[in-house]
Amino acid sequence: MKPSSNEITQNVDLCVGWGKLNPNALGWSRKPLIRANLSDHFLRKKKWNYWAVMNQDCLFSATISNIDYIGVVFVYFLDLNSKDFFEETVITPFGAGCHLPETVHESVSFQSKKMSVRFETIHEKVLISVSIPRTSFGRVDAQIKVYFSSQESLTVVVPWSWRRFQLTTKCVGLPCEGTLLVGNRIYEFNVNDSFATLDFGRGVWKYRTFWNWASFSTALENHIVGVNLGAGWTDGTGTNENAVFVDGKLFKIDSDVAFDYDRKDLFKPWHIYSKSTDQVELEFHPLFERIAKSNFVFVASKVHQMIGRFKGFVRDAERNLFILDGALGWAEEHRARW
């Protein structure tokens, strides 16, 4: 297979006959133009919609996923001042109740006795609605609007082979507003200082996988800057998921990115940088570690998501320099057998 850095500008299907990767889908796009029409590949398909909303007070995240063997729906919350944290998860056999559509802008929902999660698309907005009757901090209710409007996104097809591949769409720095109730605490999000991130994934994965992922959004003078960086899972494929977003405009980073950190002490500063250009030079200082583990004999996953602050700089494709000093976000490592 010949990897492609081609920019896709027209709608295209991800797969052709018998679930094989469509050669015309190889590349990346500024809009979610690739339809994830996955088929066949019994028990190998992986699908998820992950949302995270963050401001200076808290991080709130909700995910609906279906990895064929099981469905996994999880919600977590971190108060950035007190470090209070909870995570609630529902597992369903063979993805029951976790229907995930083929395109980014379709609504997704999950309902159980333990929790209700809905991502409802209304015109150019997504309404994130979450209700959990009982957590360690009491009842949780979220009503948060995320605005897409003219925002660009990064859609990339990562090919390991014609039978193993992943479509990812990352939307970073999306303005949002709304309210989160956690027990007797109320957290307000407003469009001036609150940002949402979407990770939309559809693909047919190898059994053993590893990735690093870093993402953050921040207001800098008269600009909103968002960054998405990844490594590990894209190595050797000829493509990556690296990008800078400035005021909703995407600037693709062609260079791969290195994550240099101490795996024995993840709270030590991380060094994240572009390997062949000077577009990314970051130091990440973790403040909190979220550990998410699962083990179902043949399926296992372990995530160390470090939430913290970024210092350093990024450049867009026009060589504009954006200096960062304390931008909130996360960097993580993930290992899975799935």
Side-chain angles (χ1 to χ4, degrees):
M1 178 185 302
K2 182 180 179 181
S4 173
S5 58
N6 174 56
E7 181 176 352
I8 294 170
T9 57
Q10 296 181 334
N11 292 314
V12 64
D13 286 343
L14 178 62
C15 299
V16 290
W18 302 101
K20 183 179 177 182
L21 175 60
N22 182 358
N24 294 325
L26 282 171
W28 63 276
S29 65
R30 300 175 184 274
K31 297 290 183 181
L33 299 175
I34 304 173
R35 183 173 71 98
N37 60 325
L38 294 176
S39 63
D40 294 339
H41 302 289
F42 180 63
L43 298 183
R44 301 305 312 143
K45 298 181 292 297
K46 317 299 174 192
K47 305 175 184 179
W48 62 79
N49 283 39
Y50 167 99
W51 279 102
V53 180
M54 197 172 195
N55 61 16
Q56 295 295 317
D57 296 319
C58 70
L59 166 64
F60 181 73
S61 179
T63 297
I64 300 174
S65 68
N66 184 333
I67 59 173
D68 265 7
Y69 311 93
I70 56 174
V72 183
V73 182
F74 59 95
V75 175
Y76 62 89
F77 157 84
L78 172 66
D79 185 303
L80 292 167
N81 298 305
S82 67
K83 303 300 188 295
D84 287 339
F85 175 84
F86 78 78
E87 182 159 359
E88 298 289 340
T89 303
V90 174
I91 305 293
T92 69
F94 298 102
C98 300
H99 173 70
L100 290 164
E102 296 178 337
T103 61
V104 170
H105 295 302
E106 294 180 73
S107 297
V108 181
S109 64
F110 173 82
Q111 180 78 41
S112 75
K113 292 181 179 179
K114 188 174 182 179
M115 70 173 69
S116 170
V117 179
R118 181 170 178 80
F119 310 137
E120 183 179 7
T121 300
I122 307 171
H123 302 299
E124 293 184 328
K125 300 185 294 291
V126 173
L127 176 61
I128 300 173
S129 302
V130 176
S131 180
I132 308 175
R134 288 180 295 276
T135 73
S136 56
F137 298 108
R139 184 177 182 86
V140 170
D141 283 294
Q143 295 288 321
I144 303 167
K145 289 182 182 179
V146 181
Y147 296 93
F148 272 96
S149 61
S150 60
Q151 301 275 333
E152 294 184 340
S153 58
L154 174 63
T155 295
V156 177
V157 171
V158 177
W160 299 294
S161 72
W162 295 116
R163 301 287 293 175
R164 295 287 182 265
F165 48 87
Q166 169 72 355
L167 165 68
T168 184
T169 294
K170 295 294 199 303
C171 304
V172 183
L174 298 172
C176 60
E177 64 181 354
T179 302
L180 168 64
L181 172 68
V182 180
N184 59 5
R185 293 181 251 185
I186 298 176
Y187 298 85
E188 299 286 347
F189 299 94
N190 65 75
V191 294
N192 296 319
D193 65 0
S194 303
F195 305 105
T197 298
L198 169 66
D199 177 8
F200 172 97
R202 303 289 189 272
V204 186
W205 283 71
K206 300 179 290 183
Y207 180 59
R208 295 183 183 274
T209 59
F210 169 82
W211 72 60
N212 288 124
W213 179 33
S215 180
F216 63 87
S217 305
T218 188
L220 291 178
E221 297 178 351
N222 297 320
H223 299 289
I224 301 299
V225 177
V227 174
N228 190 87
L229 305 170
W233 71 289
T234 59
D235 292 353
T237 64
T239 190
N240 63 55
E241 59 170 345
N242 303 327
V244 176
F245 298 82
V246 181
D247 300 326
K249 184 178 180 180
L250 167 69
F251 296 92
K252 182 76 171 65
I253 298 174
D254 290 332
S255 171
D256 287 343
V257 169
F259 286 69
D260 186 6
Y261 58 99
D262 187 343
R263 288 185 169 84
K264 295 181 180 179
D265 186 355
L266 296 177
F267 279 95
K268 289 183 177 179
W270 297 35
H271 183 203
I272 305 172
Y273 60 94
S274 46
K275 291 183 177 180
S276 58
T277 69
D278 63 352
Q279 288 175 275
V280 178
E281 182 63 41
L282 298 170
E283 193 174 86
F284 173 65
H285 295 263
L287 302 172
F288 183 86
E289 180 179 18
R290 168 183 168 255
I291 301 175
K293 295 188 291 186
S294 60
N295 193 339
F296 302 97
V297 185
F298 296 110
V299 182
S301 173
K302 187 173 184 179
V303 179
H304 293 269
Q305 184 184 31
M306 311 302 293
I307 293 93
R309 295 184 180 274
F310 290 84
K311 296 176 61 177
F313 68 81
V314 295
R315 298 181 192 269
D316 63 22
E318 297 172 356
R319 301 295 296 167
N320 295 310
L321 179 68
F322 299 93
I323 298 175
L324 307 159
D325 187 10
L328 280 166
W330 60 82
E332 71 179 35
E333 72 164 30
H334 174 272
R335 298 178 187 274
R337 293 183 290 107
W338 61 349

